[in-house]
Amino acid sequence: MKEQDYRHPIKHMIHLLHLLQMNHVEVEQLLAGKEQTDLLPPEEIQCLQSICGFMDEIYGGFLICRADDKQQILYANRKFLHMVQCETIEDLRAYTNNSFQQVVYPKDLNIAAERSYSQTSEEQAEQEPEEYRIKTKSGSIRWVEDSSRLFHCEEIGDVICSFIEDITDKRARQHKQLNDALDRANMAAIAKNAFLTNISHDIRTPLNAILGFTSLAKDSLYDMAALQDYLNRIETASKKLLDMLNKVLEVTALSTSDELIEEECNLCTMGQEVYDFLRPHAEEKNLFYTLDCSDVKHSDIYADRQKLKQMMLNLVNNAITYTESGGTVSITITEEDEGSEQDAVYHVQVKDTGIGISEDFINHIFEPFSREKNSTLSGVHSIGLGLTIVKGIVDKMGGSIEAKSAESQGSTFTVTLRLRTQTQSDVDTRKAAMPAKRSILLVEDNEINREIEADLLERMGFIIDTAENGEVALQKITLASPDTYDLVLLDLRMPVMDGWQTATAIRHLPDPFLANIPIIALSASIFLEDYQKSKESEINAHLAKPLNLPVLLETIDELIGK
Ligand code: ADP
């Protein structure tokens, strides 16, 4: 043996073990003081004792085998003996016929054999841990992870030292996690298919109506009453289609990483806006429709205004939709008493006395595309995404939602949210920093465009007045005091007085203040001559339709400042 082998504790250990084994001295007996030998001086026995004692303390099993075909066992620590359910090394030798091969589960022999083969033949001292199964004395199977190291000892040849960890439980956990992930992936695939099937069916219904009524309308060009009826039906189906697509987009956005925005808003104002927006719908059905925010002490909060409002809109819209004429729909917003300095817990409750929801269905109510089977009950064509969106928003905000209902007894949806509150100093600073609102006169003949554009601009914080053609606009400007309008947004092709005529008339007004008011033209036309005409009419900027909000805002900023 080379001198350096003695300095290597494991090689030293192997050397001593080999010596004892060759002389038929039982190591365990010797170390336990039950056997004596003069083969080794007492300090060597003590040294072997401390190495073996240390090996019994390490985390997993430790085993030394010869690197031959049989893999004769030279040493096993207590943890390994315990792993294979043996009491002593003698017990292990008897059970395995002193061959590590016997411990390995037969089907995994090639993994274990391959491992020692590659270590010997490729002279590879260290390699990746191998996972394989072993058989315990009682016949049970355990999974182990084996990190082996090959040593060459002069007198014995190659020896494998293995650190063996029992990973049966870890593998079971991994297996379960893998299975769960697989289940989730399968569920996602099923959900995606169901989504596509549902959506194509749901889109087809209003599309068929649009195509069918368009064809009927074409055949009824001279029957105004019938034509009006068909156009109304086409409009209803188109709105349904738009609503559906918006909901699909919303659901998709919620399931992707669409982060929430935290902005200053007022919970009660928002409640009021939702209430007002749906009031015509409630009045149509002659409902007793109420809003109560009296219990909210901290209404100024930070939240994603658009999402919070949408959540309320969906709930209140459903309550009105599924309540028969003469029923009651109430919105109640309350605040819990024990809020902190920074936040408070709010409950938004939407309660109706409508048709209610069956016990079976209520458990699935937040799932996408779920709707009451018996849709004749309500007579409403539903896509079943509104509540999925509500739940998605509530989840994103870290809140909870509860649905309580019984058939024909109405429903109550309660959303609970912890929201960050604005401090008094936040509110004061904001009010002080708030610039005076800019006002815009929007001139547009198409009613729908006018409404959409006005709504968009109002949301951006502008005060909007509207005019349906150039003549009305000119009247409004002439009659107004000079600082009433900061800017005119002008459609170009309009009946009565078109945009260019209007602009020219404004520029010729006697009051220089009014005559110089900034004008932005909005036009669907992309002809160069139109741009030329706008220039001649002293229009400050000419933008293309449909409205590109960021470009419009930038142009407004350039003309009248932020
Ligand atoms: P949609 O996107 O079509 O509006 P929702 O997800 O909002 O659908 O609602 C799904 C279904 O839940 C509806 O078809 C209806 O059957 C039921 N539902 C929702 N709200 C109520 C309510 N307040 N009262 C009775 N049924 C309701």
Side-chain angles (χ1 to χ4, degrees):
M1 178 174 288
K2 285 180 201 157
E3 204 191 315
Q4 64 183 36
D5 285 356
Y6 290 100
R7 272 187 261 126
H8 191 297
I10 298 217
K11 284 191 181 180
H12 192 166
M13 181 184 182
I14 294 168
H15 162 74
L16 297 177
L17 288 170
H18 177 65
L19 192 73
L20 293 170
Q21 217 168 17
M22 293 304 284
N23 291 284
H24 308 286
V25 179
E26 198 39 71
V27 183
E28 275 179 344
Q29 301 290 330
L30 179 73
L31 296 184
K34 291 181 186 159
E35 205 174 312
Q36 303 289 323
T37 181
D38 47 15
L39 276 171
L40 299 175
E43 61 270 22
E44 285 286 40
I45 297 178
Q46 221 168 26
C47 174
L48 190 63
Q49 216 155 16
S50 32
I51 298 178
C52 291
F54 174 74
M55 284 309 176
D56 280 337
E57 289 302 315
I58 64 168
Y59 175 69
F62 177 67
L63 190 77
I64 305 177
C65 302
R66 279 177 191 266
D68 56 13
D69 284 350
K70 197 180 164 206
Q71 296 194 7
Q72 190 190 346
I73 300 168
L74 293 174
Y75 172 79
N77 74 349
R78 272 210 201 112
K79 301 239 169 71
F80 184 79
L81 293 176
H82 183 71
M83 217 180 274
V84 286
Q85 295 171 342
C86 290
E87 292 285 324
T88 60
I89 187 125
E90 278 308 291
D91 201 7
L92 173 68
R93 288 206 178 103
Y95 157 51
T96 60
N97 200 16
N98 203 16
S99 160
F100 178 65
Q101 303 261 15
Q102 297 297 317
V103 182
V104 181
Y105 183 65
K107 283 191 177 162
D108 292 351
L109 264 174
N110 56 338
I111 306 175
E114 179 76 14
R115 167 199 67 125
S116 54
Y117 169 77
S118 69
Q119 281 184 329
T120 356
S121 66
E122 292 166 22
E123 301 279 323
Q124 197 182 336
E126 263 183 283
Q127 64 180 63
E128 283 288 293
E130 294 284 355
E131 290 185 8
Y132 55 86
R133 286 163 288 183
I134 57 168
K135 287 176 305 181
T136 68
K137 198 173 143 193
S138 71
S140 61
I141 311 275
R142 310 289 300 173
W143 273 97
V144 294
E145 186 183 84
D146 179 333
S147 313
S148 290
R149 199 158 168 16
L150 188 78
F151 288 98
H152 185 76
C153 300
E154 289 284 300
E155 65 269 72
I156 332 178
D158 287 338
V159 170
I160 304 168
C161 293
S162 305
F163 290 92
I164 297 178
E165 190 188 342
D166 187 328
I167 54 163
T168 314
D169 296 341
K170 191 166 111 188
R171 268 188 81 107
R173 277 197 304 276
Q174 280 173 347
H175 198 66
K176 185 174 178 310
Q177 278 169 355
L178 252 157
N179 271 339
D180 289 352
L182 198 67
D183 282 350
R184 279 198 298 276
N186 284 337
M187 296 265 285
I190 293 168
K192 194 178 109 202
N193 286 342
F195 187 90
L196 287 174
T197 313
N198 275 307
I199 199 74
S200 40
H201 171 263
D202 281 314
I203 284 180
R204 215 174 280 273
T205 314
L207 258 185
N208 279 342
I210 293 171
L211 289 173
F213 288 120
T214 307
S215 154
L216 284 170
K218 277 177 160 176
D219 291 340
S220 320
L221 289 179
Y222 302 104
D223 180 349
M224 287 312 266
L227 196 58
Q228 182 68 43
D229 180 41
Y230 296 145
L231 289 178
N232 284 343
R233 287 168 190 262
I234 291 170
E235 188 181 42
T236 310
S238 307
K239 280 184 180 163
K240 200 171 281 173
L241 200 57
L242 190 63
D243 173 58
M244 212 179 271
L245 290 179
N246 283 339
K247 280 182 174 163
V248 170
L249 282 181
E250 191 59 34
V251 166
T252 319
L254 277 171
S255 62
T256 58
S257 59
D258 183 25
E259 286 307 318
L260 294 176
I261 308 164
E262 263 218 341
E263 55 197 327
E264 290 148 349
C265 41
N266 186 296
L267 191 59
C268 294
T269 310
M270 209 180 289
Q272 186 71 45
E273 284 168 3
V274 170
Y275 175 85
D276 290 343
F277 184 79
L278 291 169
R279 194 168 38 197
H281 187 18
E283 278 172 359
E284 232 172 63
K285 298 186 79 172
N286 208 14
L287 300 180
F288 184 63
Y289 180 52
T290 61
L291 167 73
D292 181 2
C293 295
S294 56
D295 201 29
V296 178
K297 287 182 286 300
H298 302 92
S299 194
D300 286 309
I301 51 158
Y302 292 98
D304 191 317
R305 186 202 318 251
Q306 193 253 337
K307 295 252 175 337
L308 198 55
K309 200 165 165 183
Q310 169 150 35
M311 181 271 288
M312 289 195 228
L313 272 173
N314 285 7
L315 287 178
V316 181
N317 188 38
N318 276 349
I320 298 175
T321 306
Y322 297 105
T323 301
E324 298 104 333
S325 245
T328 300
V329 167
S330 59
I331 312 166
T332 316
I333 307 180
T334 52
E335 178 182 334
E336 275 185 18
D337 286 335
E338 54 270 12
S340 73
E341 281 261 303
Q342 294 89 23
D343 57 21
V345 176
Y346 300 90
H347 302 283
V348 178
Q349 188 175 74
V350 180
K351 192 171 177 175
D352 66 62
T353 58
I355 60 171
I357 302 158
S358 68
E359 214 180 309
D360 279 350
F361 180 57
I362 203 153
N363 297 324
H364 303 281
I365 199 148
F366 297 114
E367 291 166 15
F369 297 106
S370 57
R371 43 215 162 178
E372 195 86 78
K373 295 270 178 307
N374 184 3
S375 63
T376 46
L377 196 65
S378 62
V380 177
H381 176 83
S382 158
I383 183 170
L385 285 180
L387 288 175
T388 311
I389 295 169
V390 169
K391 176 84 168 64
I393 294 174
V394 173
D395 284 349
K396 270 214 158 154
M397 291 187 163
S400 62
I401 180 162
E402 185 193 47
K404 274 191 183 160
S405 184
E407 260 174 288
S408 348
Q409 291 184 25
S411 315
T412 307
F413 286 83
T414 312
V415 172
T416 303
L417 294 170
R418 180 180 288 278
L419 297 170
R420 204 152 71 81
T421 47
Q422 293 177 40
T423 59
Q424 194 50 46
S425 70
D426 285 347
V427 179
D428 294 345
T429 324
R430 196 184 67 244
K431 278 185 182 151
M434 211 136 67
K437 279 196 172 182
R438 302 299 198 142
S439 74
I440 294 176
L441 178 64
L442 173 67
V443 195
E444 162 73 66
D445 63 317
N446 181 304
E447 195 185 336
I448 293 180
N449 284 353
R450 200 162 62 231
E451 260 177 44
I452 295 173
E453 287 163 17
D455 186 43
L456 279 175
L457 291 163
E458 268 167 0
R459 281 187 208 199
M460 301 312 302
F462 294 102
I463 301 168
I464 301 297
D465 192 9
T466 57
E468 58 271 29
N469 61 49
E471 198 174 83
V472 177
L474 202 60
Q475 265 171 16
K476 284 198 168 187
I477 294 171
T478 322
L479 294 176
S481 56
D483 58 353
T484 306
Y485 303 115
D486 295 299
L487 185 122
V488 178
L489 262 185
L490 195 59
D491 184 27
L492 290 175
R493 300 192 190 276
M494 290 182 292
V496 189
M497 182 189 265
D498 73 21
W500 295 294
Q501 291 168 326
T502 317
T504 311
I506 293 173
R507 296 295 180 235
H508 285 96
L509 285 174
D511 183 328
F513 246 124
L514 297 177
N516 285 314
I517 193 165
I519 304 175
I520 299 177
L522 292 175
S523 159
S525 150
I526 45 154
F527 294 118
L528 229 107
E529 60 202 64
D530 284 354
Y531 282 85
Q532 193 55 39
K533 270 169 86 179
S534 294
K535 237 181 175 171
E536 284 160 14
S537 322
E538 294 179 63
I539 287 174
N540 303 73
H542 181 135
L543 302 181
K545 276 188 189 173
L547 204 73
N548 181 332
L549 209 54
V551 174
L552 176 66
L553 290 178
E554 213 177 293
T555 316
I556 296 177
D557 281 349
E558 273 169 25
L559 292 175
I560 58 173
K562 284 186 200 275

